[in-house]
Amino acid sequence: MAHNRRTFLGGAAAFTAATLAAPAVIGQAKPRVVVIGGGTGGATCARYIAKDSDGAIDVTLVEPNATYYTCYFSNLYIGGFRTFESLAHSYDKLTGEYGITLAQTTAEGVDRDAKTVTLASGEVLSYDRLVIAPGIDFRDGAVPGWDLAAAEIMPHAYKAGPQTQLLKAQIEAMPEGGVFCMVAPPNPYRCPPGPYERISMVAHVLRERNPTAKILLVDPKEKFSKQALFEEGWQKHYSGMIERIGPDFGGANVSVRPDTMEVEIDGTVEKVDVCNVIPGQQAGRIAHVAGVTEGDWAPVDPFSMATKADENVYVLGDASAQGDMPKSGFSANSQAKVAAMHIRGALTGSRVFPAKYSNTCWSLIDTEDGIKVGASYEPTEEKIASVSSFISQTGEDAALRKVTFEESLGWYAGITADIFG
Amino acid sequence: MRQARFIATMTLLASLAAPAFAQLAGDADRGEGFWNQCKGCHMIGPEARNRIGPPLNGIFGRRAGAVEGFKYSKSMARMGSDGLTWTFETLDAYIDNPKALVSGTRMAYRGLKDPQDRADLIAFIREFSDKPRDIPEAEPSIVTSQPQLADEVLALQGDPDFGEYLASECGTCHQGDGSDQGIPSIVAWPEEDFVVAMHAYKQKLRPHPVMQMMAGRLTDEEIAALAAYYATLEPQ
Ligand SMILES: Cc1cc2nc3c(=O)[nH]c(=O)nc-3n(C[C@H](O)[C@H](O)[C@H](O)COP(=O)(O)OP(=O)(O)OC[C@H]3O[C@@H](n4cnc5c(N)ncnc54)[C@H](O)[C@@H]3O)c2cc1C
């Protein structure tokens, strides 16, 4: 009860059109949850809170874009296996069927003492619990010569949308026998197999359209996820097309020159035709603004996803530092359900069960050649810890790979329905 | 009544579960203290190389006796070719009592007896191997612990509300409306068939790595709850 009252006072102090317009009446305000970010983590959390509380909690989702484009399967779009439209998801069901209020704007400020969020519109929302799920931003200066403005020339395509379309168009317009270069990110970054699935999809397109073209993968990491599987697949399907420059050969010492389309690798300058720069990453800006990060990410309680800095503020998905889970859509969705249950428990006294987390990431190497990696996790005092894992094997037959690919289609349909209703 | 007892048992379960898990997950900072007992012979970190003992970078998931250029005891080399791989469990056993695991090992170490101390040391060593966060298929960090369930907790059996919560994890892949696109529908599956199938995954009788993993960590009660919940659903 105490914090409902405090919220009301906070709301009154902020005294804005929003609080006036809200149906809440003195002394009987519904508990309020504000979710910043309508991506995988945020939208899942908003939906689960709204769905399971049957209207007892007021949920506002803050998201500037009217349409969410999933990063998952965006590589398949580049490879020509999915349409761009098939990546698009609207918030209509979340607002229409689940009664979630959508504030279509950016959150700019968080006042954790007053428990308010300030939006770009100037509107101020008060909350009892705040969920921050802004995904990633790129670290300034992560790749010398590259900044967000340069992304118009050297796209990152690591937040799906126009960037993905740009990269695909560039690949398709490459001159015959041209060079595609990817600057891969250092750990940790969203979707560990993502860059390597993308290399596979680019190779698939080039093999069909431009078979003498070359792919240069500049990588600061010694190892990467599903490495043996990707390398086997590249050998099998795209023999001779892909060259990977790891840290032993200067892969960690890279700068780019967007004006001249050059990449400098350990002092050697390469002229390239397309350059996909995926820079080092950090939690989305608003998590830093809210003061819940330590370094690049926001540490959270493994049992609930509440931040270490503030038990009323949760951080989900890529922006969180939780331990062993990779930054993936599957992870963000899994974490969101745990947070939603805890938030409902705190605000309405509903039952709180022990947290369970899991992740599986499918990747496509070539037509119907699907692979997967996954693990399950348990919360511990120290971190969310992996307790078991599995991975596709090298040398699997085509029938199994096809079934794995088909599973990924089912997963996509399942998770997007789970997120957006 | 049932509700009240349920809440009581959940609280009990939560309070049982937390310390049980905590014991297994080590504190790497504390573990660094125990590293002092190792560092006379072993190196770890970017500059590590063979000394009296082999370097311990990347030890998680590595075959025993596999560091190039290091001269192992016959015993350790044989354990490696027999298939001993370093995991949380095998390292834990080895650090507890080296000669009990590898009889002829040259490692002259009397062992670290306290399980928490070992877990902390292993957590420290773990920092220098592939991180599951970056390489999800990397060797797990801890061993799963199924907290011993008190009789009361068995009241959870077949509780569809609990099942509904657990099902939020299934719903990531298996669609709630019963549609079947590459991943089979489990909506309205008869309760008993559901239970049998899940136990078959749990015991790895049914193949499929994702399902073996998911079922492997479900308790009997959780499986019953899921079965009870899915049986109530109707395909749309
Ligand atoms: C190429 C690629 C392939 C991938 N493939 C897979 C895959 O196969 N499987 C898988 O599980 N994962 C995959 N991922 C990873 C997955 O996309 C991310 O891990 C996931 O989207 C993370 O969810 P999130 O909620 O943390 O962030 P996001 O989904 O990025 O959502 C963040 C949202 O917050 C909004 N936002 C940010 N700041 C603000 C603000 N200040 N105010 C309001 N809104 C804000 C953004 O507009 C965005 O909509 C892939 C990623 C990439 C790049």
Side-chain angles (χ1 to χ4, degrees):
Chain A
M1 224 48 254
H3 60 226
N4 276 348
R5 179 156 174 76
R6 253 178 58 206
T7 307
F8 169 68
L9 293 175
F15 205 70
T16 62
T19 47
L20 275 181
V25 188
I26 298 181
Q28 56 181 55
K30 269 197 219 172
R32 291 169 153 241
V33 174
V34 173
V35 179
I36 300 176
T40 307
T44 306
C45 194
R47 176 168 169 267
Y48 269 77
I49 294 172
K51 170 171 85 70
D52 294 339
S53 70
D54 280 332
I57 297 177
D58 189 87
V59 183
T60 302
L61 181 61
V62 185
E63 165 62 54
N65 301 308
T67 304
Y68 179 75
Y69 291 93
T70 58
C71 282
Y72 19 105
F73 279 16
S74 68
N75 287 330
L76 274 62
Y77 156 68
I78 290 173
F81 294 95
R82 297 287 284 206
T83 63
F84 189 63
E85 295 68 48
S86 77
L87 307 177
H89 300 274
S90 90
Y91 297 97
D92 292 353
K93 282 200 183 149
L94 293 186
T95 54
E97 287 178 22
Y98 296 94
I100 294 167
T101 307
L102 182 67
Q104 204 194 318
T105 178
T106 308
E108 306 247 290
V110 174
D111 181 338
R112 293 196 279 113
D113 295 327
K115 290 189 163 181
T116 58
V117 175
T118 306
L119 307 183
S121 56
E123 201 178 330
V124 178
L125 304 177
S126 58
Y127 65 80
D128 295 290
R129 292 294 181 280
L130 174 63
V131 176
I132 306 181
I136 52 142
D137 273 329
F138 301 112
R139 277 194 281 109
D140 289 337
V143 176
W146 190 93
D147 58 16
L148 269 187
E152 295 307 313
I153 303 167
M154 295 186 165
H156 55 77
Y158 231 60
K159 296 184 182 188
Q163 276 278 301
T164 324
Q165 290 176 297
L166 175 63
L167 184 65
K168 182 175 165 72
Q170 287 182 347
I171 294 163
E172 290 172 358
M174 261 169 72
E176 206 184 314
V179 178
F180 170 94
C181 175
M182 173 190 284
V183 179
N187 288 323
Y189 59 93
R190 69 168 25 161
C191 195
Y196 310 97
E197 180 186 58
R198 178 169 295 167
I199 290 288
S200 310
M201 292 295 97
V202 173
H204 173 83
V205 171
L206 293 177
R207 190 188 60 203
E208 309 300 314
R209 301 174 67 107
N210 190 349
T212 54
K214 290 276 178 269
I215 295 175
L216 190 59
L217 166 56
V218 188
D219 201 336
K221 303 179 295 296
E222 247 155 58
K223 285 181 165 181
F224 58 87
S225 177
K226 303 181 184 166
Q227 183 162 1
L229 294 162
F230 280 117
E231 289 178 349
E232 178 193 56
W234 295 345
Q235 186 67 37
K236 180 172 168 201
H237 303 294
Y238 313 117
S239 177
M241 287 181 82
I242 301 166
E243 182 190 357
R244 175 168 176 266
I245 302 180
D248 293 351
F249 295 91
N253 183 14
V254 192
S255 61
V256 297
R257 298 172 197 158
D259 303 348
T260 51
M261 285 306 286
E262 288 173 323
V263 181
E264 186 172 328
I265 307 159
D266 215 22
T268 308
V269 177
E270 299 274 351
K271 181 98 179 114
V272 302
D273 297 291
V274 176
C275 191
N276 175 202
V277 177
I278 309 176
Q281 299 164 20
Q282 60 175 328
R285 186 169 170 274
I286 191 71
H288 297 290
V289 169
V292 294
T293 51
E294 267 174 39
D296 289 336
W297 313 101
V300 294
D301 171 13
F303 293 90
S304 68
M305 300 302 295
T307 55
K308 297 259 168 95
D310 187 336
E311 61 176 3
N312 296 321
V313 178
Y314 293 68
V315 172
L316 306 177
D318 292 353
S320 65
Q322 34 65 28
D324 285 350
M325 297 182 79
K327 298 184 187 299
S328 73
F330 203 123
S331 296
N333 173 264
S334 170
Q335 293 161 6
K337 294 170 195 173
V338 169
M341 176 182 62
H342 272 265
I343 290 170
R344 284 195 304 116
L347 297 179
T348 66
S350 65
R351 295 153 76 178
V352 177
F353 301 106
K356 275 191 188 294
Y357 302 99
S358 56
N359 176 62
T360 300
C361 286
W362 284 266
S363 304
L364 188 62
I365 302 179
D366 196 355
T367 309
E368 295 185 342
D369 190 359
I371 54 174
K372 63 189 169 193
V373 61
S376 64
Y377 306 87
E378 278 178 13
T380 72
E381 295 295 332
E382 296 298 325
K383 61 174 179 179
I384 297 180
S386 63
V387 293
S388 71
S389 65
F390 70 86
I391 182 164
S392 297
Q393 301 300 304
T394 51
E396 286 171 348
D397 63 28
L400 177 54
R401 291 295 176 86
K402 178 165 185 254
V403 169
T404 304
F405 168 64
E406 282 164 358
E407 263 173 30
S408 75
L409 303 177
W411 167 75
Y412 187 91
I415 193 171
T416 51
D418 196 42
I419 299 167
F420 297 103
Chain B
M1 197 45 231
R2 189 184 149 89
Q3 177 85 358
R5 196 164 96 201
F6 181 84
I7 290 167
T9 55
M10 281 318 296
T11 321
L12 180 73
L13 181 60
S15 60
L16 273 179
F21 290 150
Q23 265 199 358
L24 285 162
D27 171 347
D29 291 339
R30 188 166 175 271
E32 191 171 0
F34 297 109
W35 177 250
N36 287 332
Q37 303 179 18
C38 317
K39 72 180 187 195
C41 299
H42 290 281
M43 292 181 80
I44 201 161
E47 306 294 313
R49 54 200 150 69
N50 284 328
R51 297 249 307 260
I52 296 169
L56 300 187
N57 299 344
I59 188 161
F60 267 73
R62 188 163 76 203
R63 273 290 174 95
V67 172
E68 220 169 293
F70 187 79
K71 222 174 143 4
Y72 288 96
S73 64
K74 269 208 190 99
S75 193
M76 183 65 88
R78 194 174 59 234
M79 286 304 264
S81 37
D82 283 353
L84 177 66
T85 299
W86 296 119
T87 63
F88 180 93
E89 288 112 310
T90 55
L91 280 170
D92 188 55
Y94 190 56
I95 297 170
D96 179 10
N97 183 351
K99 290 206 158 48
L101 188 70
V102 183
S103 344
T105 182
R106 291 210 188 97
M107 184 161 94
Y109 180 61
R110 62 188 143 53
L112 191 58
K113 293 302 158 201
D114 181 69
Q116 186 63 55
D117 294 350
R118 287 198 303 276
D120 294 343
L121 175 58
I122 293 170
F124 171 75
I125 294 173
R126 185 77 183 76
E127 306 261 293
F128 300 89
S129 287
D130 291 346
K131 291 191 167 56
R133 179 197 66 192
D134 303 327
I135 303 206
E137 63 268 30
E139 194 55 46
S141 295
I142 60 168
V143 277
T144 181
S145 59
Q146 295 300 4
Q148 282 301 310
L149 298 183
D151 275 353
E152 289 165 305
V153 179
L154 297 178
L156 293 178
Q157 211 158 29
D159 175 345
D161 286 352
F162 185 37
E164 181 174 6
Y165 158 65
L166 294 167
S168 68
E169 201 166 58
C170 314
T172 303
C173 297
H174 296 279
Q175 295 192 62
D177 65 3
S179 59
D180 178 349
Q181 304 168 27
I183 290 183
S185 167
I186 53 174
V187 165
W189 201 356
E191 217 164 319
E192 196 181 311
D193 296 3
F194 191 113
V195 170
V196 170
M198 291 299 277
H199 281 283
Y201 282 124
K202 195 172 152 100
Q203 294 163 24
K204 303 205 189 301
L205 297 171
R206 268 188 176 222
H208 197 277
V210 181
M211 284 311 303
Q212 288 180 352
M213 175 183 88
M214 302 304 287
R217 59 212 259 277
L218 293 174
T219 62
D220 299 353
E221 295 72 32
E222 288 171 334
I223 290 175
L226 277 167
Y229 170 66
Y230 273 104
T232 66
L233 295 188
E234 297 206 353
Q236 284 163 20

